[in-house]
Amino acid sequence: DGLRAVDKRVGYRGALRRLKTDEEKEAFLIRSRANLVERSLGYVMFTPDGGLDPIASIQEAGLAAEAELLREGERHEALVTSIDDSKRTIGVMLGALKLEIPQREWRWARPVRDGKPVGAEPTVPSRVASKGDVVLIRPIREKGSLWVAALEQEPLVQGALISLDARSGAVLGMVGGYDFEKSEFNRALQAQRQPGSSFKPLIYAAGIEKGYTPASVIIDAPLTFEDKELGKWKPANFDEKFNGDTTFRQALIKSRNIPTIRLLQSVGISQMMEHAARIGFAPELPPDLSISLGSMTASPLEMAKTYALFPRLGRKIQPVFFTEVRDRDGKVLEEAPLRITPPTIVPPPAPQASPSPEEQKDLANSGITGRMPLILPTYPQPADPDQVMDPRVAYVMTHLMTEVVNYGTGTEAKQLGRPAAGKTGTTNDYLDAWFMGFTPHIVTGVWVGHDSQAPIGPGETGAKASLPIWLSFMHEAVKGYPNDDFVIPTGILFASIDPASGRRVTGNAARGIKEAFIEGTEPQDNPPGQLLPSDSAGDFLKEDFQ
C-alpha cells in the first residue's frame, strides 16, 4: 500500500493496453470473468465440450449475485467502456460486472514524464482514460451492496522492511520487495543503499561519547571545502537555510546537515570509523566528511541491527531467522534458541582512559561549545563483549530520537500511540527514503527507492515515503507487546533547558523542556533570578518549541 501511494504521487503512466476491435474486447471480458471466478472460488467448472463455465461455477458456489465474487483490496484488469465528463466518472467492466470509477479515485492520475508528474490533477476523466483501455482497478464496497472502483497501477518503485524483536533478535517480519514473483531480489538483506540522514544518530552517539551533550551549541553556518580533484564542496541543509547557533539536540531532531558535519569534524573521521567498527556497523565508511551525510551503503538489516543498540542500551544483537530445523521425522538438525537479553541498567564500570592534551585543544575552531570533560569507560567490556556502547550514551540518543518523533522530522510516528523513537533519512535527488524507528520492544526499518537508482519522485522524503509504511506495520506489530516506556539506566539525569539556546531554565519556564543528560554533564548556567528545579527521571511536560 505504501509503495502504491508513492507511485500514485509520481503520476499515471497510462493504460496497460488498448483494445480496438469488438472481438478483442469480448475475448478480454470472457477471460476476465473466468479469472475473477477462479481467483474468488479457487476453481472454474467446465462445460461438456471442455470450455470454462463461470455461470455454473457461481451457481455451484451458491452465490446470489456475481458481485459477491468481489473482494476489497484485490486488483483486477478491467475494460473501460464509458467516459462521462459531466458526471466525472469512468465506466469499466470486469467480466460481466459493471463498475464506476468516481472522480476521487482517478483525480491522482496526472500524466508523468521522465519520472515526474506533469501539470495539475485532471479535472475530467477523458484526460485520464479512453474507451477500449485496459486499466488496473481496485473494487471498493460502499454503502450496502454498492461497489465502485479505484484506478490503480503497479508501482515501479521498490521497498524493503525488516523488523527485529529488540530483546531477542528474532526477525518479526521481512519484506524484500513489492512482488516476489516479479523479483526475487531480497532488498531487506541484499540491497546496499545510502542511508542518508538515518546514519546521523551514530555520529551524534560518537559526539556524546566525546563529551558533547544535548545542550551543546553548534554553529549552523555555511561551510566550504577545497578538494584538489573535486574542486569546492559547499554542503547545505535540506531547506538550504542556516540557523546560526543550534543546539546539539535540535540539530539531530531537525536533521541539520551543517551542524552534523561540524560535529564529525570535532569527533574526527578516523575516530568515527573506529566507533562504527566497535559498535558492529559492518559497512565500510569512506574516509571523508561525507560520512556525516550517510554517503556509505548499507542494507536495511544492517541498519536495524545497529539501531537495536539504542533500546538495548548499548548491547549488540544477532538477528535470528529460525530457531529450529527438523527433518521429516522430527529430528532436530539445527538449533538457534532465542536468548532474551534485557537492557543493561546497572552502573557502568569505572573510566579506563583520560582525555589527552590534544583533545583539550580541539574545540578552538570546531564551532561547537558546551563540551563536558566526560571520561567514559572503554568498550566493549572484556566481561561482556556484546556491551559495545555505554548504556547512558544509548539512552541519551534514544531520548533524542523520541524528540525526533515528538517534534522533528518523524512526527507521524506519534500516531502509533506508544513510546517510539527513530530517524528519517533522504539522499540526494530523492534516490533513497528511510525511516528507522523503534519502541522498547521492536526495531523496524523501512527503505523505499528504485533498483535503478532513479529518483523516487519530487519531495519523496523518508518522512513521506517510508514512515507511513513503518507506521502501518508497527500498528499491528506492537499488539503482542506491553506498552512499556524505554528503560532508563543508572547515571541519567533530566534537566530543564531552553531547546534553542541549551541554557538551564526552571522547570516551569515557558520555553523549557526536559532533556536527558549523563549525570554530571547537565548545564549549570541559569538566568538571573530563577531557581534551579529539582531533577528527576519522572514525568515531565514537553512543549513544542518551534
Side-chain angles (χ1 to χ4, degrees):
D1 288 344
L3 295 181
R4 292 184 188 116
V6 170
D7 194 66
K8 283 184 175 182
R9 289 195 293 268
V10 173
Y12 184 51
R13 296 184 295 276
L16 300 174
R17 55 190 179 278
R18 177 167 294 178
L19 306 180
K20 296 180 180 180
T21 67
D22 292 339
E23 289 77 11
E24 288 178 319
K25 296 173 184 177
E26 183 178 359
F28 171 83
L29 292 175
I30 291 172
R31 288 196 308 273
S32 67
R33 192 181 199 185
N35 291 339
L36 176 62
V37 170
E38 185 172 8
R39 185 171 180 176
S40 178
L41 302 180
Y43 63 88
V44 180
M45 298 182 69
F46 289 96
T47 60
D49 61 359
L52 298 177
D53 194 341
I55 297 177
S57 304
I58 295 169
Q59 293 173 344
E60 175 70 18
L63 301 181
E66 198 157 334
E68 293 182 34
L69 294 170
L70 297 177
R71 296 173 184 169
E72 285 192 288
E74 291 186 344
R75 285 155 177 77
H76 306 270
E77 291 187 4
L79 178 66
V80 176
T81 55
S82 65
I83 302 289
D84 192 327
D85 281 351
S86 61
K87 293 183 179 180
R88 291 181 168 81
T89 59
I90 300 174
V92 298
M93 286 193 69
L94 174 57
L97 296 173
K98 294 182 179 180
L99 300 167
E100 280 191 348
I101 305 176
Q103 182 180 16
R104 69 174 187 273
E105 300 297 346
W106 55 255
R107 64 185 176 190
W108 62 268
R110 290 186 292 177
V112 62
R113 185 181 304 131
D114 298 327
K116 296 179 180 179
V118 180
E121 289 183 346
T123 56
V124 291
S126 57
R127 295 185 177 180
V128 175
S130 302
K131 290 182 180 180
D133 283 352
V134 175
V135 297
L136 195 66
I137 67 163
R138 171 173 52 89
I140 303 172
R141 184 190 293 273
E142 293 198 322
K143 296 178 181 178
S145 59
L146 179 65
W147 287 86
V148 298
L151 182 66
E152 296 287 339
Q153 71 181 1
E154 290 294 300
L156 296 180
V157 68
Q158 279 290 350
L161 179 148
I162 187 77
S163 184
L164 308 176
D165 185 305
R167 302 294 177 99
S168 66
V171 176
L172 304 177
M174 178 175 66
V175 184
Y178 176 73
D179 189 338
F180 183 78
E181 292 185 359
K182 295 181 179 179
S183 171
E184 297 182 13
F185 181 58
N186 188 341
R187 294 155 190 83
L189 307 183
Q190 297 171 294
Q192 296 293 318
R193 304 296 295 228
Q194 289 185 333
S197 292
S198 64
F199 183 76
K200 286 178 180 175
L202 278 68
I203 297 172
Y204 282 76
I208 296 290
E209 288 184 349
K210 196 174 177 70
Y212 297 112
T213 80
S216 298
V217 175
I218 310 174
I219 297 175
D220 185 3
L223 285 172
T224 301
F225 299 95
E226 295 283 353
D227 187 281
K228 293 181 180 179
E229 296 181 2
L230 302 178
K232 287 185 177 181
W233 178 42
K234 293 183 178 181
N237 293 310
F238 183 78
D239 59 4
E240 299 184 351
K241 298 177 182 179
F242 302 96
N243 293 338
D245 286 356
T246 301
T247 56
F248 184 101
R249 60 166 275 130
Q250 197 159 344
L252 177 64
I253 291 168
K254 298 299 184 181
S255 199
R256 309 296 291 174
N257 291 338
I258 301 302
T260 307
I261 293 171
R262 290 189 186 274
L263 180 61
L264 179 58
Q265 281 182 301
S266 181
V267 169
I269 294 173
S270 60
Q271 289 83 352
M272 184 63 220
M273 297 174 77
E274 292 172 3
H275 170 83
R278 185 236 306 162
I279 66 175
F281 187 74
E284 183 177 354
L285 303 185
D288 55 53
L289 289 173
S290 69
I291 296 172
S292 58
L293 306 183
S295 62
M296 75 298 298
T297 60
S299 69
L301 176 64
E302 189 66 39
M303 294 296 292
K305 284 169 53 181
T306 305
Y307 266 71
L309 288 169
F310 300 117
R312 290 174 59 81
L313 294 181
R315 298 193 84 242
K316 285 200 302 186
I317 199 170
Q318 184 60 43
V320 179
F321 286 86
F322 60 87
T323 55
E324 276 189 353
V325 176
R326 296 173 178 263
D327 65 13
R328 63 183 179 182
D329 299 319
K331 181 181 178 181
V332 177
L333 304 178
E334 295 261 4
E335 279 189 296
L338 294 176
R339 293 186 303 152
I340 306 298
T341 52
T344 302
I345 58 174
V346 298
Q352 301 295 315
S354 299
S356 66
E358 290 77 13
E359 288 179 318
Q360 298 298 320
K361 299 177 182 178
D362 68 358
L363 291 177
N365 299 314
S366 69
I368 309 175
T369 59
R371 178 179 168 190
M372 308 301 294
L374 176 66
I375 306 173
L376 293 177
T378 301
Y379 289 92
Q381 292 292 308
D384 187 359
D386 288 338
Q387 190 72 47
V388 295
M389 181 185 291
D390 191 295
R392 298 167 298 177
V393 173
Y395 180 77
V396 169
M397 289 306 305
T398 293
H399 187 265
L400 286 172
M401 283 188 277
T402 64
E403 301 293 77
V404 172
V405 170
N406 288 331
Y407 305 121
T409 56
T411 52
E412 188 175 345
K414 286 196 292 187
Q415 297 178 28
L416 185 63
R418 293 188 178 215
K423 185 70 185 73
T424 55
T426 310
T427 61
N428 288 344
D429 300 321
Y430 305 103
L431 298 183
D432 302 273
W434 295 78
F435 186 73
M436 301 299 306
F438 55 95
T439 67
H441 297 284
I442 302 174
V443 180
T444 300
V446 175
W447 165 82
V448 171
H450 284 282
D451 291 340
S452 63
Q453 304 227 8
I456 302 169
E460 293 298 335
T461 62
K464 189 175 182 180
S466 295
L467 178 48
I469 298 172
W470 182 92
L471 183 62
S472 178
F473 173 83
M474 289 293 283
H475 267 307
E476 298 301 318
V478 299
K479 289 181 178 179
Y481 292 85
N483 189 9
D484 295 333
D485 210 336
F486 291 103
V487 173
I488 303 174
T490 303
I492 290 292
L493 180 144
F494 286 93
S496 295
I497 65 169
D498 181 324
S501 68
R503 287 177 61 86
R504 187 79 169 266
V505 298
T506 58
N508 58 357
R511 289 172 58 82
I513 192 166
K514 286 275 190 175
E515 184 54 79
F517 295 88
I518 296 176
E519 193 168 3
T521 69
E522 69 278 4
Q524 300 299 322
D525 59 322
N526 194 51
Q530 293 187 340
L531 299 176
L532 292 178
S534 59
D535 296 310
S536 70
D539 295 335
F540 53 90
L541 176 66
K542 296 178 180 177
E543 296 185 8
D544 195 338
F545 56 80
Q546 298 183 55

